[in-house]
């Protein structure tokens, strides 16, 4: 039986551009949603225990032991895990091929030396570990069926396998030079059996596809390996049919072990737009950036008053939040949630994010979108013009009272500024640049008058507040003020002093009570630490920026992945994993440092 789920940082990611799985250092697949990122999990041990579904493939002599070493095959998402035992050495190759008809998990066992007895222990539990399937054998394959789901397991060469409602298991020996491949295929239960594929041909095709993709990367600086790994991770989080990118492939991994800050991140946030576009375009991935822009235009279409902060993979609007009481949560962190109630919040910054994203796309050479794209931006601007003075929940999605968040106001300035720039460059477009200049100037004055604490020399989190917020580190990146402006450098130093924990940055202070309406605390936020490095660079403090960036690189796990947060005390990753925002920050900071050093 598989052990209790591992620490978050001991997992690796595999995926097929429509869903993803997490594989632990012990050889256990403990998280997999089929057929989409946001579908119910058939392996949910990550959020409960082995009884909630897992698939462990490892030497039988190491029932709970972790591997000797593991790594991704160069420039790919193909995971290679090795065990050295007293009887020999064995490698397990895990991957999900880009699907043709049905999603598959392929696990190939390869003997390297000696002879190693392996154990495969598969327990499928549909609906997030709740539903035990009916298991039967058909033409040498084991089939698990429950409601709309069916999963087919086959091996090549055939391995003697026992199957029952409690699980499907087998023992087999692998000698040096031998290979045994397992293929797990999901299929709608009402359809005929899925077609069989050759696992070895599929592996070769998958490796070739990844290496062709990574060869397009334009970055060739000193941090290439880290940048390429982050780009691969971002690519794996893009839902290929629509171009939407999920914030993470998981739900409810805790921001505080044993706490309640457990959220579902398997959706597409609009504010990821600008940073995602910037990272992809800067690295040369125009096709992915164009697909993301197309998703954005579809999702944001309609009445500006109906704009949401996040959407489903295909632009779905209803993402009701519910709890799964049968799951104990990762390291006993409850509740486990699916859906996200933040979808109904007012976050005014997303209007600026959308306008900025489309501006970045337009100025970066992506072929012009549909004619309605500019009209959409004008309608978003008109909404902001009427509502930017109102309080909102802000980019951190607080579940407390609405406030006048400085970052939200700055993003209203960004929207007006990008409109002015567009109309100056393209005077033939519809719109009144003077109207947006007036709005831009008014917002700028308001933020500097009401959002800046002159006594302390720093921008604050919200008007009338003394609290600080790492989001104000974005002010120079967004062009609101120069990086060497005293108000910016004062903010950098104040945020660093007040929100730093062992040199890394929290979003805001949770000391003295739930400032965001949620009890408990959280770790340092990795994207905020990358923002600090960017702000230091823009202030001309290149050595400090580089030192912080290289420290952040050392926080990646053994296969180069980052969660949402990090606890410097326990040296543990926290929050959903891997986190797109963290990897976007890594790419952006690496490219920014390269530009600063070069020019």
């Amino acid at each position: 039986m598989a052990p209790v789920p591992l620490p978050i940082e001991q997992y690796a990611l595999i995926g097929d551009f429509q869903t993803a799985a997490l594989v632990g250092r012990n050889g256990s697949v403990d998280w997999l949603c089929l057929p989409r990122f946001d579908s119910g999990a058939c392996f949910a041990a990550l959020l409960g225990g082995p009884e909630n579904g897992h698939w462990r493939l490892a030497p039988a002599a190491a029932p709970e032991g972790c591997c000797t070493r593991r790594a991704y095959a160069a420039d790919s998402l193909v995971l290679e895990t090795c065990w050295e035992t007293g009887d020999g050495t064995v490698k397990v190759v895990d991957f999900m091929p880009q699907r043709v008809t049905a999603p598959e998990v392929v696990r190939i066992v390869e003997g390297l030396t000696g002879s190693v007895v392996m154990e495969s222990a598969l327990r499928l539990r549909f609906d997030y570990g709740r539903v035990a399937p009916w298991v039967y054998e058909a033409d040498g394959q084991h089939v698990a069926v429950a409601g709309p789901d069916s999963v087919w397991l086959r091996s090549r060469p055939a391995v003697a396998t026992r199957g029952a409602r409690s699980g499907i298991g087998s023992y087999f020996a692998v000698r040096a030079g031998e290979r045994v491949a397992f293929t797990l295929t999901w299929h709608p239960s009402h359809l005929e059996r899925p077609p069989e594929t050759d696992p070895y041909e599929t592996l070769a095709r998958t490796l070739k596809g990844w290496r062709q993709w990574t060869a397009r990367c334009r970055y060739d600086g000193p941090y290439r390996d880290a940048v390429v790994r982050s780009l691969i991770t971002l690519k794996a989080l893009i839902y290929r049919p629509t171009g939407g990118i999920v914030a993470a492939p998981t739900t409810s991994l805790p921001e505080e072990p044993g706490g309640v800050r457990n959220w579902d991140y398997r959706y597409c946030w609009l504010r990821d737009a600008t940073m995602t576009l910037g990272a992809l375009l800067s690295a040369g991935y125009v096709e992915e950036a164009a697909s993301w822009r197309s998703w954005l235009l579809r999702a944001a279409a309609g009445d500006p008053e109906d704009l949401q902060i996040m959407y489903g993979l295909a632009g779905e609007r209803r993402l009701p939040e519910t709890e799964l009481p049968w799951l104990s949560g990762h390291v006993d962190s409850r509740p486990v949630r699916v859906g996200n109630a933040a979808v109904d919040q007012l976050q005014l910054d997303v209007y600026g994010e959308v306008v900025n994203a489309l501006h970045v796309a337009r100025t970066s050479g992506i072929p012009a979108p549909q004619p309605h794209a500019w009209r959409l931006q004008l309608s978003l601007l008109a909404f902001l013009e009427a509502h930017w003075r109102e309080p909102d929940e802000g980019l951190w999605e607080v579940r407390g009272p609405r406030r006048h968040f400085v970052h939200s106001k700055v993003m209203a300035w960004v929207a007006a500024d990008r409109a002015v720039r567009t109309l100056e460059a393209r005077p033939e477009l519809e719109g009144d640049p003077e109207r947006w200049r007036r709005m831009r100037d008014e917002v700028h004055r308001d933020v500097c008058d009401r959002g800046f604490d002159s006594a302390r020399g720093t921008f604050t989190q919200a008007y009338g507040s003394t609290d600080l917020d790492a989001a104000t580190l974005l002010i120079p990146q967004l062009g609101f003020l120069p990086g060497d402006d005293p108000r910016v450098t004062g903010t950098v130093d104040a945020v660093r002093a007040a929100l730093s924990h062992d040199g890394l940055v929290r979003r805001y202070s949770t000391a003295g009570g739930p400032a965001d309406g949620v009890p408990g605390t959280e770790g340092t936020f990795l994207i905020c630490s990358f923002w600090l490095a960017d702000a230091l660079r823009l202030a001309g403090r290149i050595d400090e920026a580089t030192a912080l960036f290289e420290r952040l690189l050392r926080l990646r796990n053994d296969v180069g992945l980052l969660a949402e947060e990090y606890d410097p005390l326990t040296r543990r990753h926290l929050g959903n994993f891997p986190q797109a925002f963290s990897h976007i920050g890594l790419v952006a900071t690496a490219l920014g440092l390269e530009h600063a050093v070069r020019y």
Side-chain angles (χ1 to χ4, degrees):
M1 179 176 289
V4 172
L6 301 167
I8 293 168
E9 62 272 14
Q10 292 197 24
Y11 285 95
L13 177 78
I14 58 174
D16 68 352
F17 312 131
Q18 297 190 44
T19 191
L22 293 187
V23 187
R25 285 182 58 87
N26 59 355
S28 183
V29 182
D30 286 346
W31 181 255
L32 175 62
C33 299
L34 292 172
R36 304 194 337 171
F37 289 109
D38 57 353
S39 299
C42 63
F43 297 146
L46 183 70
L47 298 178
E51 67 278 5
N52 298 119
H54 72 281
W55 182 11
R56 187 161 191 264
L57 182 58
E64 297 187 3
C66 288
C67 64
T68 306
R69 61 186 180 276
R70 65 175 182 171
Y72 286 112
D75 288 355
S76 79
L77 203 65
V78 175
L79 181 68
E80 298 180 340
T81 305
C82 293
W83 279 268
E84 295 177 0
T85 75
D87 298 318
T89 305
V90 68
K91 177 171 68 176
V92 176
V93 179
D94 290 321
F95 67 100
M96 295 184 70
Q98 181 177 331
R99 73 178 69 172
V100 178
T101 55
E104 293 184 326
V105 175
V106 181
R107 314 193 73 180
I108 299 175
V109 183
E110 181 178 350
L112 301 180
T113 65
S115 177
V116 180
V117 176
M118 299 291 292
E119 179 185 12
S120 171
L122 170 66
R123 175 175 291 184
L124 287 154
R125 291 294 182 267
F126 297 109
D127 191 26
Y128 300 101
R130 187 180 190 184
V131 177
W134 168 42
V135 179
Y136 65 94
E137 190 171 351
D139 299 327
Q141 302 184 46
H142 278 86
V143 187
V145 177
D149 301 297
S150 73
V151 169
W152 296 65
L153 176 69
R154 58 184 178 272
S155 60
R156 180 183 293 191
V159 170
T161 303
R162 64 186 188 280
R165 189 172 182 271
S166 60
I168 304 169
S170 60
Y171 288 90
F172 57 97
V174 178
R175 297 174 179 83
E178 294 180 342
R179 293 191 298 181
V180 176
F182 292 87
T183 302
L184 185 79
T185 307
W186 179 91
H187 204 60
S189 60
H190 66 280
L191 298 180
E192 296 292 329
R193 60 186 292 173
E196 295 190 30
T197 56
D198 184 317
Y200 306 112
E201 289 181 3
T202 300
L203 173 60
R205 185 169 64 250
T206 300
L207 286 169
K208 180 180 179 181
W210 274 114
R211 288 166 182 167
Q212 288 176 336
W213 187 83
T214 55
R216 292 164 46 198
C217 179
R218 287 202 302 244
Y219 174 79
D220 194 28
Y223 307 112
R224 183 190 181 278
D225 288 347
V227 168
V228 168
R229 178 52 50 198
S230 289
L231 289 169
I232 288 172
T233 304
L234 291 173
K235 173 69 171 176
L237 298 181
I238 295 174
Y239 183 64
R240 187 182 182 93
T242 65
I245 180 170
V246 296
T250 56
T251 178
S252 300
L253 290 178
E255 298 176 19
E256 178 188 22
V260 301
R261 294 171 177 263
N262 317 316
W263 315 110
D264 193 348
Y265 277 12
R266 298 171 299 156
Y267 305 112
C268 306
W269 268 255
L270 291 189
R271 73 169 46 86
D272 292 1
T274 302
M275 295 183 187
T276 303
L277 276 168
L280 292 171
L281 287 169
S282 298
Y285 291 99
V286 176
E287 179 182 342
E288 286 76 11
S291 295
W292 171 243
R293 184 194 59 186
S294 296
W295 177 92
L296 180 63
L297 287 172
R298 294 192 301 271
D303 191 328
E305 292 193 14
D306 297 330
L307 188 71
Q308 297 183 175
I309 65 165
M310 73 179 84
Y311 295 85
L313 303 176
E316 297 91 344
R317 289 176 171 266
R318 296 185 63 234
L319 309 174
E321 184 176 300
T322 58
E323 298 179 3
L324 308 182
W326 60 87
L327 289 173
S328 60
H330 188 82
V331 293
D332 202 29
S333 304
R334 301 186 185 124
V336 172
R337 296 181 174 95
V338 294
N340 200 311
V343 70
D344 297 320
Q345 289 187 349
L346 174 65
Q347 298 178 21
L348 291 171
D349 69 293
V350 299
Y351 291 84
E353 298 284 4
V354 171
V355 173
N356 195 28
L358 295 175
H359 175 78
V360 169
R362 181 181 297 106
T363 58
S364 298
I366 296 180
Q370 302 91 332
H372 76 272
W374 176 243
R375 290 194 295 272
L376 170 64
Q377 292 173 77
L378 289 178
S379 66
L380 296 176
L381 279 160
F383 179 87
L384 262 185
E385 183 183 36
H387 295 277
W388 71 264
R389 300 172 186 82
E390 299 174 7
D392 71 338
E393 277 93 358
L395 87 162
W396 300 130
E397 302 176 359
V398 299
R399 299 202 175 192
R402 291 181 177 178
R403 283 175 274 174
H404 291 279
F405 287 102
V406 168
H407 176 262
S408 295
K409 310 299 184 187
V410 169
M411 291 310 302
W413 176 90
V414 167
D417 176 73
R418 300 325 187 242
V420 171
R421 293 191 195 185
T422 298
L423 290 168
E424 288 175 344
R426 299 280 304 279
E428 75 277 8
L429 291 175
E430 173 190 356
D432 179 2
E434 285 304 318
R435 174 183 178 183
W436 307 122
R437 285 193 189 98
R438 288 193 296 271
M439 175 183 166
R440 181 178 65 177
D441 294 344
E442 183 182 358
V443 175
H444 201 280
R445 285 193 301 271
D446 195 64
V447 170
C448 292
D449 290 345
R450 302 176 64 193
F452 184 75
D453 183 339
S454 57
R456 292 188 294 164
T458 181
F459 284 97
T460 59
Q461 182 178 56
Y463 290 179
S465 171
T466 60
D467 293 334
L468 301 185
D469 190 328
T472 57
L473 295 171
L474 290 170
I475 284 174
Q477 281 194 59
L478 296 167
F480 185 85
L481 287 171
D484 58 357
D485 186 288
R487 290 166 292 184
V488 171
T489 57
T491 299
V492 170
D493 292 336
V495 167
R496 204 175 190 181
L499 300 182
S500 176
H501 183 189
D502 194 25
L504 304 176
V505 182
R506 297 184 183 274
R507 296 186 295 174
Y508 45 77
S509 176
T510 56
D516 52 11
V518 183
T521 186
E522 60 186 22
T524 59
F525 227 71
L526 293 175
I527 186 68
C528 297
S529 299
F530 284 115
W531 290 345
L532 175 58
D534 295 332
L536 290 167
R537 170 180 58 82
L538 291 169
R541 296 153 68 174
I542 305 299
D543 290 344
E544 292 178 72
T546 301
L548 176 56
F549 178 68
E550 291 182 350
R551 184 186 175 194
L552 288 165
L553 290 184
R554 292 193 294 272
L555 300 185
R556 296 174 301 150
N557 75 352
D558 61 316
V559 290
L561 301 181
L562 290 168
E564 181 181 34
E565 302 176 18
Y566 182 79
D567 183 352
L569 290 178
T570 62
R571 299 183 180 181
R572 295 279 302 274
H573 287 229
L574 300 171
N576 285 300
F577 176 88
Q579 178 77 9
F581 230 19
S582 299
H583 287 280
I584 290 167
L586 188 155
V587 173
T589 303
L591 296 178
L593 285 171
E594 173 74 1
H595 185 271
V597 171
R598 184 172 295 177
Y599 299 100

